[in-house]
């Protein structure tokens, strides 16, 4: 199986939708995905994810299956930290980013939320919700996750190309689960741009599949259509 994880296009968060640029990004992404061929499409229940998926659905003539566990509103409630009068993602908070790289955090590994600075927030519940939903999704595709080993037992051979349109904040948690990389280590070393394409191969061997990232948050479809990429909006520093 080839699994495609796609972040939504440039958004308007209120009301939940795409900007004009976001729609152009979604159209560019659809052309790229249609070239590969997609057998199955999933999308978050968020409008911006559904709108990003629509051009691809139209081109490949597939209806999306909507997955509410992917909706970013849930992880925004579960995996953010207070700052000023509001809150921000854990991986965007300067103090937390440094903390995530410390040896004490690495020793906690997948139970990073047991760190004394995080116990009060109840992050474990949010992480387990996403992990359980992720494992359920891949089990339905024929891959039973042996959690924290980095491998999946093949219960049904799958030669499909499967796409999931979702989000950045959700995606950090989702991909850390899928790849069995502790959340702190994953999210401080990875990011994803609007309509960025991450492709993961589930190569089956001796009854198991070990997911391998073939490309991460690729935006070559934007370059091809003459649209701006994340690193040409202005100075990078």
């Amino acid at each position: 199986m080839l699994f495609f994880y796609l972040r939504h296009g440039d958004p308007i968060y209120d009301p939940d939708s795409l900007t004009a640029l976001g729609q152009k990004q979604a159209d560019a992404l659809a052309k790229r995905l249609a070239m590969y061929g997609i057998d199955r499409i999933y999308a978050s229940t968020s409008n911006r994810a559904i709108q990003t998926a629509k051009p691809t659905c139209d081109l490949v003539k597939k209806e999306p299956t909507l997955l509410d566990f992917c909706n970013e509103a849930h992880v925004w409630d579960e995996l953010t930290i207070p700052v000023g009068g509001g809150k921000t993602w854990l991986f965007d908070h300067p103090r937390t980013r440094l903390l995530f790289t410390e040896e004490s955090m690495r020793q906690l590994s997948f139970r990073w939320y047991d760190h004394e600075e995080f116990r009060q927030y109840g992050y474990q519940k949010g992480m387990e919700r996403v992990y359980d939903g992720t494992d359920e999704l891949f089990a339905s595709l024929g891959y039973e996750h042996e959690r924290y080993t980095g491998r999946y037992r093949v219960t049904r051979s799958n030669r499909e190309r499967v796409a999931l349109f979702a989000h950045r904040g959700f995606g950090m948690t989702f991909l850390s689960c899928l790849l069995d990389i502790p959340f702190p280590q994953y999210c401080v070393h990875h990011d994803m741009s609007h309509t960025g394409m991450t492709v993961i191969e589930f190569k089956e061997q001796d009854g198991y599949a070990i997911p391998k990232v073939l490309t991460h948050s690729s935006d070559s479809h934007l370059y091809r259509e003459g649209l701006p990429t994340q690193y040409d909006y202005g100075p990078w520093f």
Side-chain angles (χ1 to χ4, degrees):
M1 182 181 75
L2 284 179
F3 182 80
F4 296 76
Y5 186 85
L6 304 315
R7 185 187 178 190
H8 61 73
D10 187 54
I12 300 170
Y13 289 107
D14 187 16
D16 179 19
S17 58
L18 296 180
T19 65
L21 173 60
Q23 187 60 59
K24 291 178 182 177
Q25 292 170 334
D27 291 339
L29 178 61
K31 293 178 185 178
R32 184 178 181 186
L33 286 169
M35 288 177 60
Y36 302 149
I38 298 296
D39 301 297
R40 190 187 301 261
I41 296 175
Y42 295 96
S44 157
T45 50
S46 165
N47 285 337
R48 58 189 181 276
I50 295 170
Q51 289 174 8
T52 303
K54 187 178 186 306
T56 298
C57 292
D58 291 345
L59 283 180
V60 302
K61 296 180 172 52
K62 301 285 183 183
E63 290 294 323
T65 298
L66 302 185
L67 301 174
D68 188 62
F69 92 94
C70 302
N71 193 311
E72 192 160 76
H74 302 313
V75 286
W76 182 248
D77 289 336
E78 297 163 341
L79 295 170
T80 49
I81 192 166
V83 57
K87 57 185 179 179
T88 190
W89 294 113
L90 281 166
F91 47 79
D92 282 338
H93 190 280
R95 164 62 183 149
T96 300
R97 284 181 60 82
L98 287 176
L99 183 60
F100 274 179
T101 65
E102 292 182 359
E103 180 61 26
S104 61
M105 189 63 68
R106 291 182 177 274
Q107 290 176 353
L108 285 169
S109 188
F110 291 98
R111 295 195 63 85
W112 61 270
Y113 39 72
D114 286 338
H115 192 281
E116 61 183 1
E117 291 203 24
F118 295 138
R119 289 174 193 152
Q120 62 178 306
Y121 297 112
Y123 293 135
Q124 179 177 358
K125 182 178 179 181
M127 293 295 297
E128 289 180 348
R129 183 190 65 80
V130 175
Y131 272 43
D132 289 345
T134 302
D135 286 351
E136 182 178 344
L137 171 61
F138 283 94
S140 74
L141 295 171
Y143 300 100
E144 194 169 280
H145 193 186
E146 295 185 354
R147 197 176 286 189
Y148 311 132
T149 66
R151 70 180 189 177
Y152 291 70
R153 187 169 62 85
V154 180
T155 60
R156 172 176 58 84
S157 185
N158 189 336
R159 304 294 295 174
E160 292 181 320
R161 296 171 185 250
V162 178
L164 170 58
F165 293 80
H167 310 267
R168 173 180 179 247
F170 166 79
M172 295 294 192
T173 315
F174 174 82
L175 292 175
S176 74
C177 168
L178 191 161
L179 299 170
D180 284 306
I181 301 173
F183 177 74
Q185 281 74 63
Y186 183 87
C187 65
V188 297
H189 294 293
H190 297 81
D191 209 338
M192 57 185 73
S193 56
H194 291 133
T195 66
M197 175 190 295
T198 297
V199 184
I200 300 173
E201 178 187 38
F202 280 71
K203 188 174 183 178
E204 301 173 10
Q205 182 177 1
D206 298 327
Y208 285 91
I210 300 173
K212 179 181 289 187
V213 178
L214 303 182
T215 187
H216 184 272
S217 195
S218 171
D219 58 7
S220 60
H221 51 283
L222 303 183
Y223 175 80
R224 179 171 182 172
E225 297 298 313
L227 296 171
T229 59
Q230 187 172 19
Y231 37 85
D232 64 9
Y233 289 161
W236 63 269
F237 50 86

